[in-house]
Amino acid sequence: MPAWAQRLLLLFAVRDEYRAACTIAADESQPQSRTAHDRLRTTAIRAQSQARESGEIEDDTYHRLEEEMDWAELNAIPADDVRLQSV
């Protein structure tokens, strides 16, 4: 696939994610609920964790991705579902 086509697909994905977030935000009863993109992102993060547990991803590789996955998971959780605790 040409580079321009890959960029176009990424642009469409970002646009669709933004539209979904705007639609959710417009619902005053639950402006922070999950979008389909959030659910997909959460599923992908779980799959990465399972790949590590099964040995498909080596520990060193997983640890390099772990912080990014943690941030992505936090971004995919509605604000009402986030509970931060002091350690």
Side-chain angles (χ1 to χ4, degrees), residues 51-65:
R52 176 190 181 219
E53 292 168 6
S54 69
E56 293 176 55
I57 296 177
E58 294 183 16
D59 282 343
D60 291 341
T61 303
Y62 180 81
H63 290 299
R64 286 193 297 269
L65 298 172

Side-chain angles (χ1 to χ4, degrees), residues 1 5 13 24 30 35 39-41 45 48 52 59-60 67 70 73 77 79 82-83:
M1 176 180 301
I24 294 292
Q30 290 188 324
T35 66
R39 289 187 291 276
L40 181 59
R41 187 176 293 114
I45 291 166
Q48 287 175 325
R52 176 190 181 219
D59 282 343
D60 291 341
E67 183 178 357
D70 289 344
E73 187 170 24
I77 298 172
V82 176
R83 310 269 188 286

Side-chain angles (χ1 to χ4, degrees), residues 3-24:
W4 66 266
Q6 291 176 347
R7 286 192 300 274
L8 188 60
L9 288 175
L10 289 173
L11 175 65
F12 289 154
V14 170
R15 180 201 61 195
D16 291 345
E17 184 172 3
Y18 178 74
R19 282 183 178 166
C22 287
T23 300
I24 294 292

